Amino acid sequence: MSTDNLWRRLRGWLSAGPAGPVATPRPRVDASGPARVADSLRSLLDDPTIPASVRHELASDFGRIESMLARLERGELHVAVFGRVSTGKSALGNALLGREAFSVGVLHGTTTDAEQATLDEARHDGLVLIDTPGINELDGEAREQLAFEVAEVSDLVVFVCDGDLTREELDALNTLAATQRPLLLALNKADRYGSDELAGLLAHLRLRVAGLIRPEDVLTTAARPAAQRRVEVDAHGHERVVEQARPADVAALRERLLAIAAHEGKTLSAINAGLYAGRLTDQVSARIAQTRQAVAAKLIRHYCLAKGVAVALNPIPVADLLAAAGLDAAMVLQLSRVYGLPLTRSESGRLVAVISAQLAALMGAIWGMQLVASALKGMSAGLSVVVTAAAQGALGWYATVLIGRAAERYLIAGKSWGEAGAKRAVADIVASLDRDSILREAREEILKRLKSRRG
C-alpha cells in the first residue's frame, strides 16, 4: 500500500473527514482509530511470513515500531523542536520543561544528538519533547539528516525562528510539511522587539507560512529574555547598574501543546505510527522481493545448466527436447514455491505450455534452428558433435531463461498476466534480455562441461 493510500485509510479510521493540508482544521477523534492502528502494528511485528533474515536487516526499524506501539499504548505525544542554531531551540525546550534538560550554548554544535525528556507540566498527558541539531550546522548533511529522521518518528513539530524566515528555513518547513506532521512556528526572542514591531513581524510570518501552518499556530516566545537593567542609588548617593533576570515567556506555546496533547495526542500518534509502519511494510516487501529474486535467479541458472547439458548429451534427436520440457515444468514448480504461490504439477505444465506457445509464435526461427541442431547431432562425429551439441544446449538454456523469467513475472503478479495478457508479458521478457550474451555464456559453460566429460 502506498503512503498516500495509507494516509487516507488512517484518516478514515481516525476522523470524520478526509485528509487535508497541514493548515486545515484537524479531524475529530474516533476512539477506535488508535486501537486499530495498535492492532495493525502488532500484526506487523508478529507476522510469521517475514523471513528471519529480513527481520535482522531491519532490526532497528522493527525496534522503532515496538517503541511506537508502547508509546501509543501509553498515550504519549512526541514533539520535535527544529530550527537554525542560535535561535534558542534548546533554551525553549528547557523553558517548557522548567529545568535544564537540554544543552544550551552560544556557539554552533551544542546539540549533537537527539535528546528527550517528559514535560513536567504535562507528565500525565504524556507529552515528550525532542531536541534536534540546528539545520544549518557546519557539518551539514549528517546532522540535518538526523533532524529529519527524528521528525519521522515525532507526532508534532515546533519550528523555532528568531526573525523573518530565511530561504533555508522555508525550505526546511516545506520538507517537514511533506512528512504530514502538524507544524507550529515559534518566534523566539520576542523580547528583542517593540510591541508594534512584534505585531508586524508576527503578521508577516503568518503570511509567509500560509498553507503550511495555521495562523493560530504561529506564536511568540521568549525562552531566555535579556536581563532587565536598572540603576540603583545607595545610601551614599552612588549609582550602580543592576541586571535583573526576567522569567521565560512560553505560556502561549505551552498551553497550545497541552491543548493538542489533550484533544489530538492519540490521533497524531496513531497516524504517525501507522505511516511509519506503512513505510516499514514497503521496506519489508522490497527486501523479501530482493531475496526471492536472488533465489529465483540461482534456481533458473541451475535449471538452465541442467537443461543445456541434458539437451547436449542426449543422442536421440527431438527426444531431448521433450525431456527439456519436463525440466522447465519442474523449474516453474520450484519457482512457485519460492514466491509463496505453489502450483500443482499440472498447473506448472500448463503454464510452461502457455509460455512456450507464445515463445514459438515470437521466435519460430530459433525453435527451427534447435530442431535442425537436434537432427544434426545424431549424424555428426568428433568435435563437430560437441560443437553442435553445445549450440543446441545453448538454445535450450536460453529458452529456459525466457520461460523462467516469464513464469517469475506471472507469479509476482499473483498468478496473473495482467490486463495485457500472456503475449505482451512474454514479448516484454524477450525484449528485456540480451540474447547474444546469454547464448555466449551458455555455449562456453556447456562446452566446458562436454569437454570435461570427453576427457
Side-chain angles (χ1 to χ4, degrees), residues 195 201 239 252 304 335 392 435:
S195 58
L201 179 56
E239 295 182 353
C304 285
L335 283 173
Q392 182 185 351
R435 183 184 65 189

Side-chain angles (χ1 to χ4, degrees), residues 236-444:
H236 302 287
H238 298 135
E239 295 182 353
R240 64 170 182 165
V241 177
V242 177
E243 291 189 348
Q244 182 176 2
R246 291 189 289 172
D249 181 8
V250 295
L253 179 58
R254 177 188 286 116
E255 289 173 7
R256 189 76 187 108
L257 289 174
L258 293 177
I260 291 172
H263 295 99
E264 306 173 49
K266 288 184 178 180
T267 300
L268 293 174
S269 292
I271 288 174
N272 179 40
L275 288 171
Y276 189 85
R279 288 191 294 273
L280 178 57
T281 299
D282 290 342
Q283 290 181 53
V284 168
S285 298
R287 295 294 177 90
I288 291 175
Q290 290 171 5
T291 301
R292 284 174 170 171
Q293 286 169 0
V295 172
K298 290 181 180 178
L299 182 66
I300 291 172
R301 195 179 192 285
H302 169 77
Y303 274 93
C304 285
L305 181 59
K307 180 177 177 180
V309 172
V311 169
L313 289 175
N314 196 324
I316 305 174
V318 182
D320 50 3
L321 300 181
L322 299 176
L327 284 172
D328 288 336
M331 174 188 66
V332 170
L333 197 64
Q334 293 296 321
L335 283 173
S336 71
R337 293 169 183 167
V338 169
Y339 282 97
L341 295 169
L343 300 170
T344 64
R345 290 185 180 276
S346 59
E347 288 175 328
S348 174
R350 286 196 296 271
L351 181 56
V352 170
V354 168
I355 297 171
S356 297
Q358 297 302 325
L359 288 173
L362 285 167
M363 307 171 65
I366 287 181
W367 306 134
M369 288 170 56
Q370 188 170 9
L371 289 171
V372 170
S374 178
L376 287 174
K377 184 174 59 176
M379 299 182 289
S380 302
L383 182 61
S384 62
V385 174
V386 174
V387 174
T388 305
Q392 182 185 351
L395 288 169
W397 178 308
Y398 178 56
T400 295
V401 171
L402 293 174
I403 290 170
R405 294 303 177 199
E408 195 177 12
R409 175 174 293 196
Y410 173 81
L411 293 166
I412 289 174
K415 294 185 179 180
S416 169
W417 290 116
E419 294 181 1
K423 182 178 180 179
R424 181 64 186 176
V426 173
D428 288 344
I429 293 294
V430 172
S432 69
L433 296 176
D434 185 345
R435 183 184 65 189
D436 291 338
S437 64
I438 293 173
L439 289 173
R440 183 168 55 252
E441 178 194 1
R443 281 195 301 269
E444 291 173 357

Side-chain angles (χ1 to χ4, degrees), residues 151-201:
E152 278 198 339
V153 293
S154 299
D155 309 308
L156 178 68
V157 177
V158 175
F159 197 97
V160 185
C161 65
D162 59 3
D164 194 7
L165 296 172
T166 65
R167 182 71 261 171
E168 182 180 45
E169 288 173 320
L170 276 174
D171 288 344
L173 277 171
N174 277 287
T175 300
L176 290 167
T179 68
Q180 303 281 13
R181 300 297 178 277
L183 296 173
L184 278 70
L185 180 64
L187 172 59
N188 197 26
K189 304 181 183 180
D191 57 296
R192 301 188 308 183
Y193 303 97
S195 58
D196 291 343
E197 187 181 11
L198 182 61
L201 179 56

